[in-house]
Amino acid sequence: MTGPAKLSKRNKLTPKHTHHEQADGGRLIVLTAPLTEAIDHAGYFIQMAMASLPIWMEGVINRKYPKWREVEHNPDGSARYMPAGVRLVEKSLLREYRSDDVVACFPDDLHKFVGPRTRVVAVSTHNPLGVTFAAGVYTSIFGSSRMPINSHYSRQLFATIKASPYRNNFKVIVGGSGGWQIIQTNTYEELSIDCVVEGRSESVETLELFRKAIQGEELPPRVEVKHPLEREAILFPDTRTTFGVVEMTTGCGRRCKFCVPDLNPQIDLPKDKIMDAVRANVRNGNKQISLATEDMFIWGQVHTDTPFYFPNREALVDLYSEIVNTPGVEQHVLSHCTIAPAVVDPLLIKQLSDILLPKSPIHFPYLSSHPQKKALAPLIGLETGSVRMAKQIMSSKGVPFSIEDWPSVVLEGLRVLNENNWFPAMTLIVGNPGETDQDVRETIDLVYEMERRGLFAFLIPSIFTPLHDTRMEKEEGVTQTRQLTPLQWQLMMKCWKMNLRPGQYSWWGPMAWRVGSIGMWLYKLRGLNGPNFTWPLLMFSGAISEKNLQRMGKIYRGKPLEVKSRKELIASLKPKDWQYLRADNGDLPLEFLGVQPGAQKAQMGV
Ligand code: B12
Ligand code: SF4
């Protein structure tokens, strides 16, 4: 990262209300988060879009969601809802401080709570500078890699805090999953931040830090705090969270090298505490719940006698049923999961669909077979179709199946998911360190195979970003869109073309995309993204058919893959794993069922 992005006049950062308005001298500790990370009325999509679109495209969001800035307040002016991270900092602090010393407010209300008495302003942030997977890449395609909408609002929040007339009296502490971005870009001074905390607010070191700040002591710029190892040590919000986010698990266990959350201990949180937090959300006016997890399928199977990658069907069905049947819960949205469990236990997927579809706010009219066209769309990591690359960066991603079978696991898993109206968003990493043209070709093969089989996932390619603290932290892949090879561009554009499939069921859809994308290329994208972008964009626009582009030698159209069926995948497992499979899914190897293959053939008269 180099210096801050240049802002257009229209989008200049203007600190808001820096004058003193509070009668009580302000709160001792004021908690906040960027507005764009706190809003919840338009569903997940708005935040994801604001993380990815550059600020100059804010008008698109304003037109689609004209009321997105209208947030709700408690009678005292504090925020009615805040991201779960803020709520946990609040809960952690309330173990030591009185409730009238601590407040969580929206950025525009800071002037009401920051006063001469304030000693800490603590900011929780998910993605303040937009340098994560996916978020960075789309803004860079459109031209301003460092200023996604969310990043603009985060910077605006920091500018407001910096301009406070009481700034010398208080310390600014930042935490949350995006805190590392401040450390990595060394933007402390520019954003007026004293300390970044990496880790959870529950830990004693975090409380110690707040104590120091309140006493006016100097803070270290970076503090790494320990993650609790026991499930009992994790706190739960008893107020309303943005999108009704309630934690379900921490950690993952599949050990992908590029992953941050996997560095945390694998914990599944107690059902009674999850349910309390669900009810607290509903009590405070929330109608939507979403359980935060890296992989929902490990819940109920952590530290049991069964390996965590064989889901606990009964436990999951029980938990989700209770959530969606809680009076007041009108909507439920899935967050993250992995794909191998869909191959391991297709009946689990079916049972979850029966429970969850009626409360899903997501509708895919052209894809779903549900009577109301409802669908489920969790986020799943596909990352690469190259077995060579997968072995290097995520050798356990598909367990219990061998990573050698990764393309088959993806295709079989997606088949099961699609049959049950799950249409996941699947992330792909482009430009992994050491990625060769052959690796990209293999990923393209997988994408074309999905298309051939009529399978659907929203494919979200992003450029490799070495995330802080991961085992790939020091590695470098592609850093700018101009460095992408023609094949990498083709993969990205093919993914987006596939994503538009359900939107193309009108006569005008394809035409609009064709004209729009070529116009955009002529206007801006040609210079920005370099010559390797041109043919893949023409392929995306549909202006020249893929067949013709291949004939001209401009694109690679993927070769058919040989894929293992579920039965073959199950047969490839180690025999000691067969005991964890459910017979009601079928496909169990005959040896396991105690049937001699020859005997069964004879029985069937073969
Ligand atoms: C729910 C969720 C979302 C939701 C809702 C977010 C919201 N505003 O509430 C949606 C779908 C909108 C979303 C969007 C995105 N997300 Co998200 N999301 C999550 C998820 C699943 C849970 C987050 C959560 O609430 N956890 C529970 C709370 C309690 O945890 P927490 O926030 O980390 O807080 C703890 C600590 O960080 C700390 N803490 C937090 N704040 C503070 C503040 C202070 C001062 C201190 C001391 C401590 C502290 O204490 C808390 C515990 O006590 C996480 C994965 C995960 N398991 O964390 C990914 C995750 C955080 N998201 C991620 C990403 C990449 C994104 C997107 C960029 C994706 C995209 N391209 O669209 C966008 C960015 C959105 C934005 N506004 O910019 C990455 C973060 C990577 C990073 N920043 O390095 C994660 C880790 C997922 C992943 N595996 O890659 N996300
Ligand atoms: S499966 Fe997902 S959450 Fe788990 S380690 Fe891999 S990337 Fe991380």
Side-chain angles (χ1 to χ4, degrees):
M1 277 285 281
T2 49
K6 241 166 108 186
L7 285 172
S8 72
K9 235 185 192 165
R10 184 167 60 93
N11 296 314
K12 245 200 162 93
L13 295 177
T14 36
K16 302 223 169 162
H17 310 286
T18 50
H19 58 286
H20 171 184
E21 264 186 31
Q22 48 341 95
D24 57 357
R27 301 288 175 101
L28 187 66
I29 303 171
V30 180
L31 310 177
T32 189
L35 176 69
T36 40
E37 295 185 17
I39 50 161
D40 84 341
H41 56 266
Y44 269 177
F45 175 75
I46 187 171
Q47 280 206 18
M48 300 182 75
M50 291 205 282
S52 300
L53 295 177
I55 184 67
W56 63 265
M57 288 180 79
E58 192 184 10
V60 175
I61 299 282
N62 294 341
R63 271 189 298 279
K64 178 135 180 64
Y65 306 107
K67 294 186 175 172
W68 74 264
R69 288 188 191 75
E70 289 174 22
V71 287
E72 293 171 46
H73 295 85
N74 292 320
D76 66 352
S78 62
R80 189 92 194 273
Y81 38 80
M82 272 275 133
V86 176
R87 289 305 190 204
L88 286 207
V89 182
E90 191 177 21
K91 191 82 194 272
S92 302
L93 291 167
L94 289 175
R95 292 177 299 180
E96 192 155 320
Y97 301 91
R98 291 179 321 168
S99 58
D100 52 5
D101 281 339
V102 184
V103 71
C105 71
F106 293 115
D108 276 2
D109 302 315
L110 278 167
H111 63 288
K112 296 181 190 153
F113 298 102
V114 176
R117 199 167 81 88
T118 304
R119 292 293 171 269
V120 186
V121 174
V123 181
S124 175
T125 175
H126 210 84
N127 185 25
L129 304 174
V131 285
T132 43
F133 299 125
V137 65
Y138 294 111
T139 42
S140 77
I141 289 172
F142 288 115
S144 166
S145 67
R146 278 170 282 284
M147 202 51 75
I149 300 173
N150 185 59
S151 176
H152 172 82
Y153 280 87
S154 305
R155 285 173 178 272
Q156 187 165 62
L157 164 63
F158 287 115
T160 303
I161 297 171
K162 188 175 186 175
S164 164
Y166 309 107
R167 180 64 189 90
N168 291 335
N169 293 352
F170 61 79
K171 297 277 190 279
V172 177
I173 304 180
V174 174
S177 49
W180 65 272
Q181 298 177 1
I182 313 275
I183 300 171
Q184 212 166 68
T185 54
N186 196 10
T187 33
Y188 287 93
E189 213 179 295
E190 185 193 331
L191 302 180
S192 189
I193 294 166
D194 295 291
C195 175
V196 176
V197 178
E198 290 192 281
R200 296 190 65 101
S201 59
E202 287 97 333
S203 59
V204 282
E205 297 102 312
T206 308
L207 283 181
E208 182 52 32
L209 194 76
F210 276 80
R211 247 177 256 136
K212 276 190 178 164
I214 288 168
Q215 283 157 13
E217 291 177 30
E218 274 309 298
L219 302 184
R222 175 186 173 192
V223 176
E224 210 169 317
V225 304
K226 287 196 197 77
H227 194 290
L229 296 174
E230 303 302 325
R231 59 206 307 245
E232 286 69 32
I234 306 273
L235 294 175
F236 278 81
D238 46 21
T239 43
R240 182 169 159 185
T241 57
T242 294
F243 300 127
V245 169
V246 174
E247 267 180 301
M248 179 189 197
T249 61
T250 74
C252 166
R254 288 183 188 259
R255 315 295 296 134
C256 302
K257 275 197 187 162
F258 48 82
C259 177
V260 177
D262 184 62
L263 302 171
N264 294 329
Q266 191 191 44
I267 299 178
D268 58 348
L269 293 157
K271 181 181 161 196
D272 54 342
K273 290 195 179 168
I274 295 177
M275 290 313 304
D276 284 348
V278 167
R279 285 186 285 266
N281 260 288
V282 175
R283 244 193 340 268
N284 287 286
N286 216 340
K287 295 184 172 72
Q288 177 179 334
I289 295 297
S290 180
L291 299 188
T293 175
E294 299 317 321
D295 183 5
M296 58 187 268
F297 294 118
I298 69 171
W299 192 88
Q301 203 67 292
V302 176
H303 308 310
T304 66
D305 294 337
T306 304
F308 71 88
Y309 37 87
F310 291 98
N312 185 337
R313 189 196 290 174
E314 282 68 26
L316 284 164
V317 167
D318 173 62
L319 175 71
Y320 281 106
S321 308
E322 207 161 314
I323 288 172
V324 294
N325 291 324
T326 300
V329 174
E330 290 176 13
Q331 297 184 341
H332 172 272
V333 180
L334 291 175
S335 76
H336 298 61
C337 67
T338 50
I339 198 150
V343 184
V344 170
D345 191 357
L347 260 176
L348 165 67
I349 305 297
K350 179 174 183 323
Q351 291 183 10
L352 286 174
S353 309
D354 292 345
I355 300 164
L356 296 175
L357 279 171
K359 293 268 164 103
S360 175
I362 302 167
H363 295 82
F364 292 150
Y366 298 111
L367 295 170
S368 173
S369 60
H370 184 267
Q372 290 154 280
K373 303 295 172 199
K374 288 185 177 255
L376 298 165
L379 201 87
I380 298 181
L382 188 168
E383 322 306 5
T384 178
S386 152
V387 169
R388 187 195 79 89
M389 197 80 241
K391 272 189 196 159
Q392 263 180 40
I393 60 171
M394 47 181 217
S395 58
S396 311
K397 184 86 158 179
V399 285
F401 306 105
S402 159
I403 199 67
E404 297 280 347
D405 289 327
W406 178 239
S408 301
V409 172
V410 170
L411 292 165
E412 266 304 280
L414 196 54
R415 177 187 63 78
V416 172
L417 293 177
N418 283 184
E419 278 172 12
N420 289 288
N421 290 318
W422 295 44
F423 302 98
M426 297 189 85
T427 50
L428 289 99
I429 309 177
V430 179
N432 272 303
E435 184 172 76
T436 61
D437 275 357
Q438 185 51 27
D439 293 319
V440 186
R441 265 186 221 109
E442 285 174 26
T443 308
I444 294 177
D445 290 341
L446 181 59
V447 169
Y448 273 94
E449 193 64 43
M450 281 182 189
E451 190 178 42
R452 256 189 297 273
R453 289 167 182 251
L455 298 173
F456 190 88
F458 288 95
L459 300 172
I460 310 178
S462 59
I463 296 178
F464 171 75
T465 317
L467 293 186
H468 179 63
D469 272 351
T470 62
R471 284 166 288 159
M472 291 178 86
E473 176 182 22
K474 301 261 167 344
E475 300 197 33
E476 197 172 291
V478 169
T479 50
Q480 283 173 11
T481 51
R482 284 187 78 92
Q483 294 170 349
L484 290 171
T485 65
L487 276 168
Q488 287 170 329
W489 267 123
Q490 198 206 311
L491 172 59
M492 307 238 306
M493 301 317 280
K494 179 66 188 173
C495 288
W496 280 102
K497 193 174 179 191
M498 300 250 300
N499 294 347
L500 294 173
R501 278 181 298 168
Q504 300 224 347
Y505 289 84
S506 60
W507 64 267
W508 53 266
M511 179 64 80
W513 279 103
R514 210 167 285 172
V515 174
S517 49
I518 293 175
M520 197 67 177
W521 176 73
L522 287 172
Y523 167 64
K524 192 155 185 170
L525 307 181
R526 181 171 42 165
L528 268 170
N529 295 319
N532 291 346
F533 179 56
T534 306
W535 293 106
L537 184 83
L538 282 174
M539 186 253 330
F540 169 79
S541 73
I544 308 179
S545 77
E546 289 188 16
K547 230 186 207 160
N548 282 338
L549 282 168
Q550 187 184 32
R551 243 184 250 135
M552 292 157 71
K554 300 299 181 193
I555 64 163
Y556 168 70
R557 274 181 78 214
K559 62 172 191 325
L561 289 182
E562 255 182 51
V563 177
K564 282 190 180 159
S565 64
R566 177 172 187 270
K567 190 168 184 151
E568 288 165 326
L569 283 170
I570 297 289
S572 73
L573 292 181
K574 294 184 196 88
K576 74 171 172 43
D577 280 344
W578 291 341
Q579 59 178 311
Y580 304 118
L581 296 167
R582 310 287 297 245
D584 50 8
N585 281 310
D587 295 337
L588 279 176
L590 297 174
E591 298 94 297
F592 179 69
L593 296 171
V595 181
Q596 292 304 314
Q600 208 214 20
K601 274 188 187 170
Q603 266 171 22
M604 291 159 68
V606 182

